[in-house]
Amino acid sequence: MMEAPLAPAPWQHQPWDPADHHQNDSPALSHNILPPNDDDHDDFFAATPSHSQPALHHSLSANLHPDQNAYQNASSVATHSIRAPSPPPNAPILDHSHLRPGKQAALLSHERTLELYRANAKKTQDPDLQFEFAVFMIDASKSLPIPPNTPGNLLQVEKALEKREDLIREATSLLKRLADRGHPASQYFLADCYANGIGTVKGKQDFDRAYPLFVLAAKHGHPDAAYRAGTCCENGWGCRRESAKALQFFRKAAAALHPGAMYRLGIAELNGELGLSKSPKEGVKWLKRSAEHATAEFPHALHELALLHERGIDNVVFVDYEYSTELLAQAAELGYAPSAYRLGECYEYGKMGCPQDPALSIHYYNIAAQQNHRDACFALTAWYLVGSPGVLPQSDTEAFLWAQKAAEAGLAKAMYACGYFLEVGIGTTANIQEAMSYYKRAAEKGDKRATQRLKNSQNGPMHQPGGPGSVLHRGQGDSDAGKNPKDKDCVIM
């Protein structure tokens, strides 16, 4: 499922960082929670739509990125507002994949595609098909070609942006009507749009409108909506912060085997959160259930269980390195960066019973680095500095680029490394001024070597390679690091 072991150039990857996520009493819940529309007589609603369970495979999604040690954190990352798609119960009702405009699509062909879809959608009174069209419009608004923003193109850019807004307006209007008529998928999808700043004033998140819709969809049996309503109650997004109500929603979603809800309950039981008393045994049970239903969106229970089996819990979880690495591998194959990084370390240094295997180490580091996991990016810097025969060619240029990527993600030792690369001219043209800039950034984050380099620069010319404070040893403080053959030959700058 993942790429070959060789790591591609850093600039080809999408960024990863566990970013901080989004943020009244619950109103009376009814089908009239949204204001009635004046245009109920339009083409889409000439007949009363059915309230059957819709296909949900077009829900928006985004990955949840918890801290690697969420088990010990007071606030679990599973409480963050995320976009969590439901698995499709059936095949797509209306497959429009062939109609999706590509990045290079001309504006005219894009409009024709849209008009054809609109005409077909208006011929039906099926709310599921109308929902499909609304989702298509939201997707189309994201891929609508926007001309380059140059002085000669201002009018065209303005028109294109206006078309994008029109699409979003039309889609959200249709979703509102469907939501008013009790269509769970529309209620959830519209709430998700509001929670992510789509169709809102100035593109700001609007949980005041999102939360009641999550609750309404949850009452109609939508697992993702119940989970999201729980995160809102836990964090006070669009409602009062109420742990008891959050637990109710999480349990409702968990009863429908929602992996995110089961994970959140597991962490709450382990740490004694949400008003629960600590119960590691119950927590592990929930984590195991979540792991059994892990998805690319919710692989977190696999990682947490791996950490638990690495250190053990008295009378609850026994230490089992082999099982721990197996769980990490499952999470890594789902694309979970912290698990992939941990495996990269295991295969580099021979930890947890893993053999030292450069190919596997680079492979797993690469999976994590593709998501901008800063430590994984910096680990690839080390591998590129020395290379690995038959696996990875030595390249100072790639080493510098990966260090830059890690520095951009906020890693202090990578900032120091970039400074040294630029000072000495390793993998890039020497540039003392830029090197000093990286040293200052690293020093501000508490890197003592960077502080020393800055101090040396004030007392005279910068030290030559190998001078005091000039090196950063890989695996510092790690007793296993010295066992790695490559550490004998490699000092990461």
Side-chain angles (χ1 to χ4, degrees), residues 10-158:
W11 55 81
Q12 296 175 333
H13 302 323
Q14 296 299 318
W16 175 97
D17 202 27
D20 290 332
H21 289 266
H22 335 302
Q23 349 243 328
N24 59 46
D25 283 338
S26 171
L29 298 176
S30 70
H31 287 272
N32 297 319
I33 196 165
L34 296 174
N37 290 286
D38 295 327
D39 47 359
D40 285 353
H41 60 278
D42 71 356
D43 293 341
F44 285 105
F45 295 99
T48 303
S50 69
H51 290 220
S52 58
Q53 180 68 22
L56 305 179
H57 59 284
H58 281 294
S59 297
L60 295 174
S61 65
N63 288 331
L64 179 71
H65 299 296
D67 183 86
Q68 293 99 306
N69 300 309
Y71 164 62
Q72 296 179 330
N73 287 351
S75 176
S76 168
V77 290
T79 65
H80 291 170
S81 179
I82 65 167
R83 306 170 93 175
S86 297
N90 304 301
I93 294 174
L94 179 58
D95 181 9
H96 51 64
S97 57
H98 64 292
L99 294 176
R100 288 178 186 274
K103 291 182 179 178
Q104 306 301 321
L107 188 59
L108 183 60
S109 63
H110 183 281
E111 288 179 346
R112 284 178 178 169
T113 299
L114 197 61
E115 284 305 320
L116 283 171
Y117 206 145
R118 183 181 284 110
N120 287 332
K122 285 188 176 184
K123 291 176 183 176
T124 178
Q125 296 306 319
D126 187 332
D128 293 341
L129 296 183
Q130 293 160 359
F131 168 70
E132 292 277 348
F133 176 52
V135 173
F136 174 78
M137 284 192 286
I138 294 293
D139 287 347
S141 71
K142 297 174 184 176
S143 57
L144 186 69
I146 304 294
N149 194 356
T150 60
N153 264 350
L154 292 180
L155 187 59
Q156 290 87 339
V157 170
E158 188 177 328

Side-chain angles (χ1 to χ4, degrees), residues 141-218:
S141 71
K142 297 174 184 176
S143 57
L144 186 69
I146 304 294
N149 194 356
T150 60
N153 264 350
L154 292 180
L155 187 59
Q156 290 87 339
V157 170
E158 188 177 328
K159 285 182 177 179
L161 291 174
E162 191 176 324
K163 285 183 181 294
R164 175 178 289 175
E165 290 302 314
D166 288 342
L167 277 176
I168 293 174
R169 196 177 300 112
E170 183 180 358
T172 53
S173 177
L174 177 54
L175 287 169
K176 285 177 186 176
R177 297 172 200 146
L178 290 165
D180 280 343
R181 287 157 178 77
H183 190 255
S186 296
Q187 291 164 346
Y188 173 74
F189 192 85
L190 183 59
D192 188 65
C193 287
Y194 290 152
N196 288 281
I198 298 174
T200 60
V201 179
K202 296 182 180 179
K204 292 183 179 179
Q205 294 168 321
D206 189 346
F207 280 97
D208 287 341
R209 285 201 284 175
Y211 172 69
L213 285 165
F214 282 139
V215 173
L216 200 54

Side-chain angles (χ1 to χ4, degrees), residues 398-427:
E398 286 292 313
F400 172 68
L401 290 171
W402 279 112
Q404 263 193 326
K405 194 170 180 65
E408 288 165 8
L411 188 63
K413 61 184 177 182
M415 295 173 189
Y416 170 79
C418 285
Y420 190 81
F421 282 143
L422 284 160
E423 178 191 341
V424 180
I426 298 175

Side-chain angles (χ1 to χ4, degrees), residues 368-444:
Q370 286 180 28
Q371 298 169 68
N372 206 28
H373 188 288
R374 60 190 193 181
D375 290 299
C377 292
F378 198 56
L380 288 178
T381 290
W383 276 114
Y384 269 111
L385 278 173
V386 296
S388 179
V391 178
L392 190 75
Q394 192 281 334
S395 172
D396 288 346
T397 301
E398 286 292 313
F400 172 68
L401 290 171
W402 279 112
Q404 263 193 326
K405 194 170 180 65
E408 288 165 8
L411 188 63
K413 61 184 177 182
M415 295 173 189
Y416 170 79
C418 285
Y420 190 81
F421 282 143
L422 284 160
E423 178 191 341
V424 180
I426 298 175
T428 184
T429 304
N431 186 325
I432 295 298
Q433 187 175 354
E434 202 172 339
M436 296 297 289
S437 174
Y438 273 108
Y439 284 146
K440 286 177 183 176
R441 288 170 59 190
E444 287 170 1

